[in-house]
Amino acid sequence: EDQVTQSPEALRLQEGESSSLNCSYTVSGLRGLFWYRQDPGKGPEFLFTLYSAGEEKEKERLKATLTKKESFLHITAPKPEDSATYLCAVQAGFNKFYFGSGTKLNVKP
Amino acid sequence: DVKVTQSSRYLVKRTGEKVFLECVQDMDHENMFWYRQDPGLGLRLIYFSYDVKMKEKGDIPEGYSVSREKKERFSLILESASTNQTSMYLCASSLYSTGTLYNSPLHFGNGTRLTVT
């Protein structure tokens, strides 16, 4: 069964405490893996696309990596404004996306 | 930047009413989507459209219909609203390359929080 699993469900960090979020997938025919940030009451905001194992993308304090079975979103020295829910999605076919249920990140000052 | 605009941020409707949710995108994307997002259930696809007047059912189409009369506009219709349709509704758009078989990332609107009483 095609599915995307994110862990942990929730993560509390102190400001400056680096960590990683995980997105594992069992999807045949991966076409792309996408990371999104979602603030409360808003739509998901696109962060990164990864297409092949070994690929990495960076943006400010965030770095996304991809292997054949999972992706990690590394957060280096997070700040309170990084608090949000981070969603992972996988494209497996024509207009076919599978979403994880997200990791809710809370960064305390 | 892609902009996807949903006409209402909040809506309150009564059971049995016909409800229209409107979405407009400004990037000439062929593909548009309607999802609903509920706590513990994540994002679930209701319908998508890959061209004007073309539509396909997603995972939870029951109780919903859609309309795509113009490329930039995709409407979600609740024929007779029920309380179990209280949810956050998200519209998204994407390009699809027939050459590479890849979609571009989904770009989402800010959502419509619908409450049915």
Side-chain angles (χ1 to χ4, degrees), chain B residues 1-4 24-32 49-52 68 70-73 92-97 104 107:
Chain B
D1 267 1
V2 177
K3 188 155 186 185
V4 178
V24 176
Q25 51 96 2
D26 67 356
M27 281 301 292
D28 205 35
H29 286 173
E30 307 94 344
N31 306 289
M32 296 187 74
S49 167
Y50 53 93
D51 203 347
V52 173
R68 184 119 180 251
K70 292 186 177 182
K71 190 174 185 179
E72 67 272 18
R73 188 179 295 271
S93 73
S94 172
L95 279 171
Y96 182 78
S97 166
S104 68
H107 290 271

Side-chain angles (χ1 to χ4, degrees), chain A:
Chain A
E1 182 189 350
D2 293 331
Q3 65 178 12
V4 176
T5 304
Q6 290 188 246
S7 61
E9 285 186 21
L11 182 62
R12 296 181 71 174
L13 299 173
Q14 286 297 126
E15 185 171 1
E17 180 188 1
S18 301
S19 187
S20 296
L21 314 182
N22 177 263
C23 170
S24 64
Y25 57 91
T26 53
V27 171
S28 53
L30 176 76
R31 304 272 176 86
L33 186 143
F34 308 95
W35 281 99
Y36 291 86
R37 170 192 169 125
Q38 187 173 22
D39 292 302
K42 294 194 171 181
E45 174 191 349
F46 169 68
L47 293 173
F48 302 111
T49 306
L50 301 165
Y51 289 112
S52 55
E55 192 174 355
E56 299 182 351
K57 293 273 178 74
E58 279 189 75
K59 181 179 178 180
E60 295 179 1
R61 296 176 291 282
L62 300 177
K63 179 179 174 181
T65 62
L66 181 64
T67 71
K68 287 192 176 180
K69 297 284 186 189
E70 58 192 352
S71 176
F72 292 93
L73 185 65
H74 307 277
I75 304 177
T76 303
K79 299 182 177 182
E81 54 261 41
D82 295 321
S83 297
T85 296
Y86 291 85
L87 294 170
C88 164
V90 167
Q91 187 209 345
F94 173 61
N95 284 335
K96 194 158 191 68
F97 295 86
Y98 293 95
F99 280 85
S101 13
T103 294
K104 187 172 182 179
L105 175 66
N106 187 5
V107 182
K108 294 286 192 184

